[in-house]
Amino acid sequence: MSTAAPLTDDEVGILLTAAVHAPSMDNTQPWRFEVAGPVIDVRLDEERLLPAADPAGRAMRIGLGAAAFNLRVAAAMLGHESAFTIAPDPADPAVVARIFLSERNGPVPGLSALYGEITRRHTYRGPMVEQAIPPIVVGALTGAAEAEGAVLHWLDEDAKRQLAQVLREADDLDLHDEDRLHERAEWIGGKRPDDGVPDTALGPVPTRPAMVRDLSAGFVTPGRDQAAFEEHPVIAVLSTEDEDEHAWVRAGLALQRVLLTATSSVLAVSFLNQALEYPALRGQIRQLVGGHAWPQMILRIGYPTEAEAGTGRLPWRDTLDRWF
Ligand SMILES: Cc1cc2nc3c(=O)[nH]c(=O)nc-3n(C[C@H](O)[C@H](O)[C@H](O)COP(=O)(O)O)c2cc1C
């Protein structure tokens, strides 16, 4: 791959706008970018971490991996092949991924087709239609995870029953953890135009037990709708073979490829990650998916019954540290 000429202002805008639309836990957007000629560094923003809920920085790196995937998709749409390395510089551990762009040619097949989904994708926390996902779409989602070196494990009814029990325990722990409650209050609820999760994106309160995470649990959020959720949710666990910083970034790339592929099939996704935020409970989920892989994200996938309410983003220029 030959090295490309420096990027134009328009190109950097398109690339970083795509990157900042990635999902991140509590929408903290824990990323900074540096552009050096045709090379883009995705850096961890030490001021946007969640030390109580994510002490190892696992979720943060998943978000950065998702942002790196969006960058590659936008680059592909612009006509750049891209190569990337994870944690390229031991002397600068804040650089989580480095992306090298090739000379600009025609749109790169495959990745470029996902570009239009980047701004259409939102986390959807409402009820799904009770309708099976066609096997061909299930296959495409499984393939999307595999293309980025991860595994998507679809839960059967028995595994879902066990997951429901783990989720109840996680919800209970969440409600009684003062540090996490304080931390969530900094990011969840109210009006939040640029970051965090506003009331409008919380989804309705379930009228009967449901497999959904209420991000505002423990807080009063007046005026929220109530709704009955689907009785048979479709749940898949995204896992990686390894459990280290590289694997977390890989999980983020895989997550975003799955999410954009889902969006292209008008599917919506929400997450049940409370079960992965406590080591003992995460161990139970690991057993649930065979005991060999490391669960990184739990996805509820389906056809939405309502329009999705989005979350805000910081302007891309505010995330750019250096450009030379
Ligand atoms: C690693 C990670 C963990 C997440 N965990 C949850 C979760 O447990 N429950 C949930 O509702 N959303 C979860 N989210 C979704 C974020 O809240 C969401 O991506 C963020 O608010 C931005 O909104 P958007 O996805 O609509 O763009 C998670 C996202 C990431 C990347």
Side-chain angles (χ1 to χ4, degrees), residues 23-51:
S24 59
M25 186 170 173
D26 293 354
N27 197 24
T28 61
Q29 303 167 46
W31 40 63
R32 312 281 318 163
F33 302 95
E34 245 182 57
V35 181
V39 179
I40 304 174
D41 278 356
V42 184
R43 302 176 63 91
L44 196 63
D45 185 343
E46 305 283 347
E47 291 177 7
R48 295 182 159 267
L49 306 182
L50 297 169

mmCIF file of all heavy atoms in Angstrom, residues 23-51:
data_model
loop_
_atom_site.group_PDB
_atom_site.id
_atom_site.type_symbol
_atom_site.label_atom_id
_atom_site.label_comp_id
_atom_site.label_asym_id
_atom_site.label_seq_id
_atom_site.Cartn_x
_atom_site.Cartn_y
_atom_site.Cartn_z
ATOM 1 N N PRO A 23 -20.401 4.280 19.138
ATOM 2 C CA PRO A 23 -20.959 4.159 20.493
ATOM 3 C C PRO A 23 -19.844 4.171 21.530
ATOM 4 O O PRO A 23 -18.715 3.768 21.236
ATOM 5 C CB PRO A 23 -21.631 2.772 20.452
ATOM 6 C CG PRO A 23 -20.846 1.998 19.433
ATOM 7 C CD PRO A 23 -20.373 3.009 18.411
ATOM 8 N N SER A 24 -20.148 4.658 22.723
ATOM 9 C CA SER A 24 -19.200 4.547 23.840
ATOM 10 C C SER A 24 -20.016 4.418 25.115
ATOM 11 O O SER A 24 -21.132 4.925 25.192
ATOM 12 C CB SER A 24 -18.283 5.775 23.915
ATOM 13 O OG SER A 24 -19.044 6.964 24.079
ATOM 14 N N MET A 25 -19.477 3.730 26.097
ATOM 15 C CA MET A 25 -20.223 3.513 27.339
ATOM 16 C C MET A 25 -20.618 4.863 27.944
ATOM 17 O O MET A 25 -19.773 5.749 28.106
ATOM 18 C CB MET A 25 -19.359 2.723 28.331
ATOM 19 C CG MET A 25 -20.111 2.351 29.575
ATOM 20 S SD MET A 25 -19.160 1.187 30.555
ATOM 21 C CE MET A 25 -20.195 1.139 32.007
ATOM 22 N N ASP A 26 -21.898 5.016 28.249
ATOM 23 C CA ASP A 26 -22.479 6.257 28.795
ATOM 24 C C ASP A 26 -22.225 7.472 27.886
ATOM 25 O O ASP A 26 -22.317 8.612 28.323
ATOM 26 C CB ASP A 26 -21.952 6.557 30.209
ATOM 27 C CG ASP A 26 -22.420 5.527 31.223
ATOM 28 O OD1 ASP A 26 -23.229 4.650 30.872
ATOM 29 O OD2 ASP A 26 -21.976 5.600 32.381
ATOM 30 N N ASN A 27 -21.886 7.194 26.625
ATOM 31 C CA ASN A 27 -21.606 8.264 25.651
ATOM 32 C C ASN A 27 -20.573 9.265 26.174
ATOM 33 O O ASN A 27 -20.694 10.471 26.001
ATOM 34 C CB ASN A 27 -22.905 8.990 25.257
ATOM 35 C CG ASN A 27 -22.758 9.801 23.989
ATOM 36 O OD1 ASN A 27 -21.892 9.521 23.153
ATOM 37 N ND2 ASN A 27 -23.584 10.815 23.838
ATOM 38 N N THR A 28 -19.514 8.726 26.816
ATOM 39 C CA THR A 28 -18.463 9.623 27.309
ATOM 40 C C THR A 28 -17.564 10.103 26.179
ATOM 41 O O THR A 28 -16.832 11.077 26.341
ATOM 42 C CB THR A 28 -17.574 8.922 28.361
ATOM 43 O OG1 THR A 28 -16.933 7.798 27.755
ATOM 44 C CG2 THR A 28 -18.384 8.464 29.562
ATOM 45 N N GLN A 29 -17.559 9.372 25.036
ATOM 46 C CA GLN A 29 -16.720 9.742 23.887
ATOM 47 C C GLN A 29 -15.255 9.896 24.325
ATOM 48 O O GLN A 29 -14.680 10.994 24.211
ATOM 49 C CB GLN A 29 -17.250 11.026 23.235
ATOM 50 C CG GLN A 29 -18.713 10.914 22.796
ATOM 51 C CD GLN A 29 -19.344 12.242 22.439
ATOM 52 O OE1 GLN A 29 -18.759 13.040 21.737
ATOM 53 N NE2 GLN A 29 -20.556 12.470 22.941
ATOM 54 N N PRO A 30 -14.671 8.791 24.791
ATOM 55 C CA PRO A 30 -13.333 8.900 25.425
ATOM 56 C C PRO A 30 -12.190 8.906 24.421
ATOM 57 O O PRO A 30 -11.192 8.228 24.619
ATOM 58 C CB PRO A 30 -13.293 7.622 26.289
ATOM 59 C CG PRO A 30 -14.076 6.628 25.494
ATOM 60 C CD PRO A 30 -15.176 7.416 24.800
ATOM 61 N N TRP A 31 -12.332 9.642 23.334
ATOM 62 C CA TRP A 31 -11.315 9.596 22.266
ATOM 63 C C TRP A 31 -10.797 10.977 21.915
ATOM 64 O O TRP A 31 -11.470 11.999 22.069
ATOM 65 C CB TRP A 31 -11.922 8.955 21.019
ATOM 66 C CG TRP A 31 -13.344 9.368 20.732
ATOM 67 C CD1 TRP A 31 -13.802 10.619 20.445
ATOM 68 C CD2 TRP A 31 -14.504 8.521 20.739
ATOM 69 N NE1 TRP A 31 -15.168 10.601 20.267
ATOM 70 C CE2 TRP A 31 -15.618 9.325 20.441
ATOM 71 C CE3 TRP A 31 -14.701 7.154 20.965
ATOM 72 C CZ2 TRP A 31 -16.928 8.811 20.371
ATOM 73 C CZ3 TRP A 31 -16.000 6.651 20.893
ATOM 74 C CH2 TRP A 31 -17.087 7.478 20.592
ATOM 75 N N ARG A 32 -9.540 10.991 21.479
ATOM 76 C CA ARG A 32 -8.894 12.171 20.897
ATOM 77 C C ARG A 32 -8.213 11.700 19.613
ATOM 78 O O ARG A 32 -7.872 10.518 19.501
ATOM 79 C CB ARG A 32 -7.818 12.763 21.824
ATOM 80 C CG ARG A 32 -8.189 12.974 23.254
ATOM 81 C CD ARG A 32 -8.999 14.196 23.516
ATOM 82 N NE ARG A 32 -8.570 15.377 22.806
ATOM 83 C CZ ARG A 32 -9.347 16.459 22.643
ATOM 84 N NH1 ARG A 32 -10.583 16.474 23.141
ATOM 85 N NH2 ARG A 32 -8.908 17.512 21.995
ATOM 86 N N PHE A 33 -7.992 12.596 18.689
ATOM 87 C CA PHE A 33 -7.391 12.186 17.419
ATOM 88 C C PHE A 33 -6.184 13.070 17.099
ATOM 89 O O PHE A 33 -6.154 14.254 17.450
ATOM 90 C CB PHE A 33 -8.419 12.281 16.281
ATOM 91 C CG PHE A 33 -9.634 11.433 16.542
ATOM 92 C CD1 PHE A 33 -10.777 11.976 17.114
ATOM 93 C CD2 PHE A 33 -9.601 10.074 16.260
ATOM 94 C CE1 PHE A 33 -11.881 11.185 17.392
ATOM 95 C CE2 PHE A 33 -10.706 9.267 16.542
ATOM 96 C CZ PHE A 33 -11.846 9.823 17.100
ATOM 97 N N GLU A 34 -5.226 12.463 16.434
ATOM 98 C CA GLU A 34 -4.069 13.195 15.937
ATOM 99 C C GLU A 34 -3.851 12.781 14.501
ATOM 100 O O GLU A 34 -3.851 11.574 14.202
ATOM 101 C CB GLU A 34 -2.832 12.808 16.758
ATOM 102 C CG GLU A 34 -2.281 13.961 17.549
ATOM 103 C CD GLU A 34 -1.032 13.579 18.325
ATOM 104 O OE1 GLU A 34 -0.059 13.121 17.703
ATOM 105 O OE2 GLU A 34 -1.086 13.746 19.540
ATOM 106 N N VAL A 35 -3.688 13.761 13.618
ATOM 107 C CA VAL A 35 -3.510 13.438 12.200
ATOM 108 C C VAL A 35 -2.115 13.901 11.790
ATOM 109 O O VAL A 35 -1.758 15.072 11.970
ATOM 110 C CB VAL A 35 -4.585 14.151 11.334
ATOM 111 C CG1 VAL A 35 -4.403 13.797 9.859
ATOM 112 C CG2 VAL A 35 -5.990 13.794 11.815
ATOM 113 N N ALA A 36 -1.309 12.964 11.286
ATOM 114 C CA ALA A 36 0.043 13.299 10.819
ATOM 115 C C ALA A 36 0.153 12.818 9.383
ATOM 116 O O ALA A 36 0.324 11.623 9.149
ATOM 117 C CB ALA A 36 1.090 12.632 11.699
ATOM 118 N N GLY A 37 -0.003 13.741 8.427
ATOM 119 C CA GLY A 37 -0.031 13.318 7.022
ATOM 120 C C GLY A 37 -1.171 12.333 6.833
ATOM 121 O O GLY A 37 -2.306 12.594 7.259
ATOM 122 N N PRO A 38 -0.916 11.155 6.259
ATOM 123 C CA PRO A 38 -1.998 10.186 6.032
ATOM 124 C C PRO A 38 -2.163 9.204 7.198
ATOM 125 O O PRO A 38 -2.780 8.158 7.028
ATOM 126 C CB PRO A 38 -1.520 9.456 4.771
ATOM 127 C CG PRO A 38 -0.033 9.500 4.866
ATOM 128 C CD PRO A 38 0.354 10.740 5.624
ATOM 129 N N VAL A 39 -1.618 9.545 8.374
ATOM 130 C CA VAL A 39 -1.694 8.624 9.526
ATOM 131 C C VAL A 39 -2.574 9.256 10.609
ATOM 132 O O VAL A 39 -2.391 10.424 10.959
ATOM 133 C CB VAL A 39 -0.278 8.347 10.089
ATOM 134 C CG1 VAL A 39 -0.359 7.407 11.289
ATOM 135 C CG2 VAL A 39 0.623 7.767 8.999
ATOM 136 N N ILE A 40 -3.531 8.474 11.119
ATOM 137 C CA ILE A 40 -4.436 9.001 12.159
ATOM 138 C C ILE A 40 -4.266 8.166 13.424
ATOM 139 O O ILE A 40 -4.390 6.937 13.400
ATOM 140 C CB ILE A 40 -5.904 8.937 11.699
ATOM 141 C CG1 ILE A 40 -6.065 9.681 10.370
ATOM 142 C CG2 ILE A 40 -6.827 9.534 12.766
ATOM 143 C CD1 ILE A 40 -7.446 9.556 9.773
ATOM 144 N N ASP A 41 -3.976 8.841 14.537
ATOM 145 C CA ASP A 41 -3.901 8.164 15.831
ATOM 146 C C ASP A 41 -5.217 8.343 16.574
ATOM 147 O O ASP A 41 -5.754 9.459 16.650
ATOM 148 C CB ASP A 41 -2.780 8.762 16.686
ATOM 149 C CG ASP A 41 -1.421 8.191 16.311
ATOM 150 O OD1 ASP A 41 -1.365 7.287 15.442
ATOM 151 O OD2 ASP A 41 -0.420 8.652 16.895
ATOM 152 N N VAL A 42 -5.728 7.237 17.119
ATOM 153 C CA VAL A 42 -6.918 7.278 17.980
ATOM 154 C C VAL A 42 -6.395 7.139 19.403
ATOM 155 O O VAL A 42 -5.806 6.122 19.760
ATOM 156 C CB VAL A 42 -7.876 6.117 17.632
ATOM 157 C CG1 VAL A 42 -9.153 6.218 18.461
ATOM 158 C CG2 VAL A 42 -8.204 6.112 16.141
ATOM 159 N N ARG A 43 -6.595 8.184 20.214
ATOM 160 C CA ARG A 43 -6.004 8.229 21.556
ATOM 161 C C ARG A 43 -7.088 8.181 22.624
ATOM 162 O O ARG A 43 -8.193 8.688 22.429
ATOM 163 C CB ARG A 43 -5.218 9.533 21.739
ATOM 164 C CG ARG A 43 -4.114 9.768 20.732
ATOM 165 C CD ARG A 43 -3.479 11.122 20.971
ATOM 166 N NE ARG A 43 -2.843 11.167 22.286
ATOM 167 C CZ ARG A 43 -1.565 10.831 22.493
ATOM 168 N NH1 ARG A 43 -0.799 10.472 21.489
ATOM 169 N NH2 ARG A 43 -1.065 10.886 23.707
ATOM 170 N N LEU A 44 -6.719 7.592 23.756
ATOM 171 C CA LEU A 44 -7.636 7.549 24.900
ATOM 172 C C LEU A 44 -7.631 8.909 25.597
ATOM 173 O O LEU A 44 -6.566 9.454 25.865
ATOM 174 C CB LEU A 44 -7.124 6.463 25.859
ATOM 175 C CG LEU A 44 -8.065 5.951 26.936
ATOM 176 C CD1 LEU A 44 -9.276 5.274 26.310
ATOM 177 C CD2 LEU A 44 -7.317 4.950 27.825
ATOM 178 N N ASP A 45 -8.821 9.448 25.872
ATOM 179 C CA ASP A 45 -8.929 10.717 26.593
ATOM 180 C C ASP A 45 -9.037 10.409 28.088
ATOM 181 O O ASP A 45 -10.079 9.960 28.569
ATOM 182 C CB ASP A 45 -10.166 11.482 26.103
ATOM 183 C CG ASP A 45 -10.249 12.863 26.734
ATOM 184 O OD1 ASP A 45 -9.574 13.095 27.759
ATOM 185 O OD2 ASP A 45 -10.997 13.705 26.195
ATOM 186 N N GLU A 46 -7.944 10.683 28.807
ATOM 187 C CA GLU A 46 -7.881 10.327 30.240
ATOM 188 C C GLU A 46 -8.940 11.065 31.062
ATOM 189 O O GLU A 46 -9.199 10.692 32.208
ATOM 190 C CB GLU A 46 -6.495 10.674 30.817
ATOM 191 C CG GLU A 46 -5.323 10.050 30.080
ATOM 192 C CD GLU A 46 -5.148 8.580 30.416
ATOM 193 O OE1 GLU A 46 -5.777 8.132 31.380
ATOM 194 O OE2 GLU A 46 -4.399 7.892 29.683
ATOM 195 N N GLU A 47 -9.531 12.123 30.502
ATOM 196 C CA GLU A 47 -10.516 12.891 31.279
ATOM 197 C C GLU A 47 -11.937 12.408 31.066
ATOM 198 O O GLU A 47 -12.872 12.957 31.624
ATOM 199 C CB GLU A 47 -10.401 14.370 30.919
ATOM 200 C CG GLU A 47 -9.090 14.891 31.447
ATOM 201 C CD GLU A 47 -8.818 16.325 31.094
ATOM 202 O OE1 GLU A 47 -9.709 16.982 30.536
ATOM 203 O OE2 GLU A 47 -7.693 16.749 31.380
ATOM 204 N N ARG A 48 -12.103 11.371 30.229
ATOM 205 C CA ARG A 48 -13.456 10.896 29.936
ATOM 206 C C ARG A 48 -13.582 9.404 30.236
ATOM 207 O O ARG A 48 -14.190 8.668 29.489
ATOM 208 C CB ARG A 48 -13.810 11.190 28.473
ATOM 209 C CG ARG A 48 -13.889 12.665 28.202
ATOM 210 C CD ARG A 48 -14.280 12.991 26.782
ATOM 211 N NE ARG A 48 -14.804 14.338 26.769
ATOM 212 C CZ ARG A 48 -16.094 14.651 26.898
ATOM 213 N NH1 ARG A 48 -17.006 13.722 26.989
ATOM 214 N NH2 ARG A 48 -16.476 15.901 26.926
ATOM 215 N N LEU A 49 -12.973 8.991 31.335
ATOM 216 C CA LEU A 49 -13.015 7.578 31.700
ATOM 217 C C LEU A 49 -14.095 7.357 32.762
ATOM 218 O O LEU A 49 -14.647 8.310 33.317
ATOM 219 C CB LEU A 49 -11.646 7.133 32.213
ATOM 220 C CG LEU A 49 -10.482 7.427 31.248
ATOM 221 C CD1 LEU A 49 -9.170 6.899 31.817
ATOM 222 C CD2 LEU A 49 -10.732 6.836 29.863
ATOM 223 N N LEU A 50 -14.382 6.091 33.035
ATOM 224 C CA LEU A 50 -15.390 5.734 34.040
ATOM 225 C C LEU A 50 -14.719 4.811 35.071
ATOM 226 O O LEU A 50 -14.882 3.589 35.018
ATOM 227 C CB LEU A 50 -16.574 5.018 33.375
ATOM 228 C CG LEU A 50 -17.370 5.837 32.346
ATOM 229 C CD1 LEU A 50 -18.330 4.948 31.562
ATOM 230 C CD2 LEU A 50 -18.147 6.956 33.047
ATOM 231 N N PRO A 51 -13.935 5.393 35.993
ATOM 232 C CA PRO A 51 -13.139 4.532 36.879
ATOM 233 C C PRO A 51 -13.968 3.604 37.770
ATOM 234 O O PRO A 51 -13.505 2.511 38.092
ATOM 235 C CB PRO A 51 -12.334 5.532 37.725
ATOM 236 C CG PRO A 51 -12.900 6.873 37.452
ATOM 237 C CD PRO A 51 -13.660 6.824 36.174
#
